[in-house]
Every structure is written in C-alpha cells, then in structure tokens.
Amino acid sequence: NAGVTQTPKFQVLKTGQSMTLQCAQDMNHNSMYWYRQDPGMGLRLIYYSASEGTTDKGEVPNGYNVSRLNKREFSLRLESAAPSQTSVYFCASSASSGGANGELFFGEGSRLTVL
Amino acid sequence: GENVEQHPSTLSVQEGDSAVIKCTYSDSASNYFPWYKQELGKRPQLIIDIRSNVGEKKDQRIAVTLNKTAKHFSLHITETQPEDSAVYFCAASVGSTLGRLYFGRGTQLTVWP
C-alpha cells in the first residue's frame, strides 16, 4: 500500500517549457488535490477534484491545468513554465469531499525549478 | 476567500515545557480546522483536527481549542520532546470539501534537550 505517489521528485525546466506532474493514490479516495509550498508561505491550493469527473480551481490556479484521469490519478500540467512556478508541489488525497474524515494524505513532493 | 494567520513564526522551548501556537481566520463559515506537522524534507502529516461544533479536542500530549466567536484556534503541546521539533501548520476549510484548505504560514518549533 504505497499511499500517494507522485512523479517526478525533482525537475529543472527552462522558462517556456511544459511538463506534467503525475499523481496516483491507492487508497480508493474520492478527492484529490494539488498544493504548492513556497518558503514562508505555507501551502496553497492550486486545483482540486472533489470526485472523479470534476475539477475546480483553488487559490492559485493561474498557469496550471489539471486532469482527473480516473479515480486513482490526478495530473498537474504547466503549459509554459515561469520562474514564479519554482516551488515544491504536493499531491494529496482524502476519503471524501465531506463527511466525517477530512484528513489529507500527501505525496512526498516534487521539487520544480524553473530557470 | 479565507485568510488564516498564524503566530509565532518561530518558537523555541526547553524539553518538558509547553508550546502554544495560535491561528486566526477571517471567514465565519469555516467549519473544519486541522493541524499538520512537517518534519524537514518530509510531507505534511495531520496531527489533530477539530470541527466547528466542538470547543476542544485532546490527543495525548496535544490539544486544540477553538473560539468561534473570536475566530481563533490554538494548538497546545505539553511535555515537549526533541522529536516534536518541526514546522506546524494550521488550516481552515469552508464548505463541504474538507480538503480544500487555507493554510497558515507555519511555525518552526524547536525543542532543546
């Protein structure tokens, strides 16, 4: 039981390049999220998917797109990377969008540097 | 949107002392308040959470209190140990998607032996 797995763990891009961060969970969770973490800023929500087939913008969605491929997988795409997108990206999942348990299970993080 | 402020940004305590971290939120509709612990280079992990219909919750050495009227909530760690050293984040959620969180900026807690 791997939990939440995200790839790649490290990536260096040049400004204007594109890339996709992949995330998969094996806990049969309905909801999945992408957060970014910058020094001194806490975590900020980029996009989330409350259930399979739905996606919604979070706090900082500009410059990103997402795809909920199926119940297990939720990818984050940078179409034209900018230095301001240099960050650590965390994928997370939770059992349901509502209900009794709101605990987020995070992946190990992906450190992205845009030059 | 919601705005969560967290204080202090750094906190140093002696082993065995208590530590308190405070957060305020702006949206009175917020209904779920978790606390996450992040060790250096690791992923955040939930340590305790509280719903808006509860005033206090305890789990061994940690407790969270919520004052809905004043819109603030606090994390209390008693009998601190060196392994409690980490960054702690408070967060708040509005509406039914509990994982849609607004995080504070974090508190670096250092516990000296």
Side-chain angles (χ1 to χ4, degrees), chain A residues 42-113:
Chain A
L43 293 100
R44 293 179 292 170
L45 182 64
I46 305 170
Y47 270 94
Y48 67 102
S49 171
S51 60
E52 187 179 356
T54 69
T55 60
D56 285 289
K57 295 179 180 179
E59 230 180 318
V60 288
N62 291 344
Y64 304 95
N65 285 301
V66 290
S67 295
R68 183 75 183 265
L69 304 170
N70 48 55
K71 189 172 185 179
R72 290 186 63 247
E73 298 173 288
F74 188 40
S75 63
L76 178 72
R77 183 161 177 83
L78 288 69
E79 291 290 353
S80 179
S84 61
Q85 294 177 306
T86 293
S87 188
V88 178
Y89 292 85
F90 284 98
C91 178
S93 69
S94 65
S96 65
S97 60
N101 188 354
E103 181 175 4
L104 286 178
F105 292 84
F106 286 89
E108 290 185 304
S110 299
R111 184 174 296 276
L112 175 65
T113 302

Side-chain angles (χ1 to χ4, degrees), chain A residues 2 4 31 33 35 37 40-45 48 50 57-59 90 94 96-109, chain B residues 1-3 6 32 34 36 38 41-47 49 51 87 89 92-93 95-106:
Chain A
V4 178
S31 303
Y33 312 80
Y35 283 88
Q37 183 174 33
M41 292 295 293
L43 293 100
R44 293 179 292 170
L45 182 64
Y48 67 102
K57 295 179 180 179
E59 230 180 318
F90 284 98
S94 65
S96 65
S97 60
N101 188 354
E103 181 175 4
L104 286 178
F105 292 84
F106 286 89
E108 290 185 304
Chain B
E2 172 66 281
N3 181 45
Q6 182 172 347
Y32 174 65
Y36 283 82
Q38 186 177 29
K42 301 290 182 63
R43 71 192 85 187
Q45 291 188 300
L46 179 73
I47 55 170
D49 58 8
R51 296 294 187 106
V87 179
F89 293 97
S93 179
S96 61
T97 304
L98 300 183
R100 194 197 191 290
L101 293 171
Y102 294 86
F103 282 86
R105 296 193 175 201

